[in-house]
């Protein structure tokens, strides 16, 4: 078991210093070429791997290119186009509904505020944060995906369990200029080293300050998606 630093702020700062050196060029792993594609990809990524989403969207984005295309799509056909994605029937409904709202209320353009994004079907705060950060270059919060949940708790930066509560804990202790990359650093480390079931504590660059190091139990409070 490692020994965490005195306060959550000190702990978060040290974690950021180390992970930023280990993963100097963090990037989003979903493939997209415009704001609508990103929105669709993030909705699809709930409880589904980014790798699977990218395979599906490779053909999906050729068939559906505008909000109007999605809004006017036959929902059963759209669902069939998504049938390798988890909960594809529900997600088809969300995407069709969200596209209709974008078409009717936002002139076919993906909105750029948290309130307007979270009013769309299938879009919660996490999805909205991703779209704001990567489509509009606006950072209003921290994206809390499964890796951020798991690692932030394991590292002793938060004791909260729900993504929304974790985000509220993180925002005061993570410097605002790092809000966007904090997510990517923890995702990279979560995939490479601090995995859900078999964390490689021996090869972990934050092992000495991690209170969960060398424990047998797995702290995995995933909400499903990688984003």
């Amino acid at each position: 078991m490692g020994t965490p630093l005195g306060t959550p702020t000190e702990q978060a700062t040290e974690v950021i210093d180390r992970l930023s050196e280990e993963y100097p060029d963090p990037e989003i792993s979903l493939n997209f070429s415009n704001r609508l594609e990103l929105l669709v990809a993030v909705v699809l990524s709930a409880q589904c791997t980014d790798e699977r989403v990218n395979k599906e969207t490779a053909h999906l984005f050729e068939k559906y290119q505008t909000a109007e295309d999605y809004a006017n799509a036959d929902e059963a056909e759209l669902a069939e186009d998504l049938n390798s994605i988890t909960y594809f029937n529900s997600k088809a409904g969300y995407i069709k509904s969200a596209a209709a709202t974008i078409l009717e209320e936002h002139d076919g353009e993906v909105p750029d505020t948290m309130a307007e994004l979270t009013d769309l079907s299938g879009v919660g705060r996490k999805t909205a944060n991703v779209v704001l950060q990567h489509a509009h270059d606006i950072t209003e919060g921290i994206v809390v995906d499964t890796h951020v949940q798991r690692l932030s708790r394991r590292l002793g930066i938060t004791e909260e369990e729900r993504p929304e509560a974790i985000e509220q804990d993180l925002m005061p202790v993570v410097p605002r200029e790092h809000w966007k990359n904090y997510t990517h650093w923890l995702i990279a480390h979560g995939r490479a080293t601090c995995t859900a079931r078999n964390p490689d504590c021996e090869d972990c660059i934050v092992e000495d300050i991690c209170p969960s190091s060398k424990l047998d139990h797995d702290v995995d409070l995933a909400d499903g998606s990688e984003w």
Side-chain angles (χ1 to χ4, degrees), residues 80-124:
E80 182 61 27
D81 290 331
L82 303 173
N83 66 10
S84 72
I85 299 288
T86 52
Y87 304 109
F88 59 90
N89 284 316
S90 295
K91 291 176 182 178
Y94 293 151
I95 291 169
K96 179 177 171 67
S97 176
T101 301
I102 289 171
L103 197 62
E104 294 165 6
E105 300 182 13
H106 304 289
D107 298 320
E109 299 296 327
V110 175
D112 62 358
T113 70
M114 179 66 70
E116 290 172 323
L117 283 166
T118 54
D119 278 344
L120 301 175
S121 294
V123 178

Side-chain angles (χ1 to χ4, degrees), residues 19-20 22-32 38 42 50-51 54 130 133-135 143 145 147-148 178-191 226-227:
L19 294 186
S20 62
E22 185 77 3
Y23 312 101
D25 299 305
E27 295 181 354
I28 185 171
S29 55
L30 291 171
N31 296 333
F32 66 97
L38 176 59
V42 182
D50 291 354
E51 182 182 14
N54 287 336
V130 176
Q133 290 178 11
H134 294 278
V143 176
D145 80 326
H147 300 287
V148 175
H178 296 318
W179 282 4
K180 182 177 179 179
N181 279 339
Y182 178 84
T183 299
H184 296 301
W185 288 323
L186 265 65
I187 288 175
H189 194 59
R191 288 173 174 166
E226 294 201 0
W227 268 103

Side-chain angles (χ1 to χ4, degrees), residues 90-216:
S90 295
K91 291 176 182 178
Y94 293 151
I95 291 169
K96 179 177 171 67
S97 176
T101 301
I102 289 171
L103 197 62
E104 294 165 6
E105 300 182 13
H106 304 289
D107 298 320
E109 299 296 327
V110 175
D112 62 358
T113 70
M114 179 66 70
E116 290 172 323
L117 283 166
T118 54
D119 278 344
L120 301 175
S121 294
V123 178
R125 185 174 173 88
K126 180 180 71 175
T127 296
N129 267 324
V130 176
V131 174
L132 287 173
Q133 290 178 11
H134 294 278
H136 296 288
D137 199 25
I138 296 171
T139 301
E140 288 194 13
I142 296 173
V143 176
V144 179
D145 80 326
T146 60
H147 300 287
V148 175
Q149 281 182 287
R150 183 174 71 252
L151 271 66
S152 295
R153 284 175 51 81
R154 281 181 174 171
L155 288 164
I157 299 173
T158 181
E159 294 182 355
E160 295 291 344
E161 298 183 5
R162 296 181 302 104
E164 296 83 359
I166 291 173
E167 183 186 10
Q168 293 307 308
D169 265 6
L170 294 177
M171 288 166 69
V173 302
V174 174
R176 191 181 182 96
E177 65 266 25
H178 296 318
W179 282 4
K180 182 177 179 179
N181 279 339
Y182 178 84
T183 299
H184 296 301
W185 288 323
L186 265 65
I187 288 175
H189 194 59
R191 288 173 174 166
T193 303
C194 193
T195 57
R197 291 175 176 80
N198 296 296
D200 186 4
C201 295
E202 292 183 359
D203 195 36
C204 178
I205 58 172
V206 291
E207 185 276 333
D208 61 306
I209 59 169
C210 178
S212 301
S213 173
K214 308 301 182 185
L215 298 181
D216 291 332

Side-chain angles (χ1 to χ4, degrees), residues 30-31 37 39-61 64 70 76-95 122 224-226:
L30 291 171
N31 296 333
E37 288 184 356
L39 176 64
V40 170
V42 182
V43 170
L44 293 178
S45 72
Q47 298 184 316
C48 190
T49 66
D50 291 354
E51 182 182 14
R52 169 55 60 186
V53 171
N54 287 336
K55 288 181 179 179
E56 199 68 82
T57 56
H59 67 81
L60 187 75
F61 292 160
Y64 304 95
Y70 288 107
E77 182 179 349
L78 178 56
E80 182 61 27
D81 290 331
L82 303 173
N83 66 10
S84 72
I85 299 288
T86 52
Y87 304 109
F88 59 90
N89 284 316
S90 295
K91 291 176 182 178
Y94 293 151
I95 291 169
S225 67
E226 294 201 0

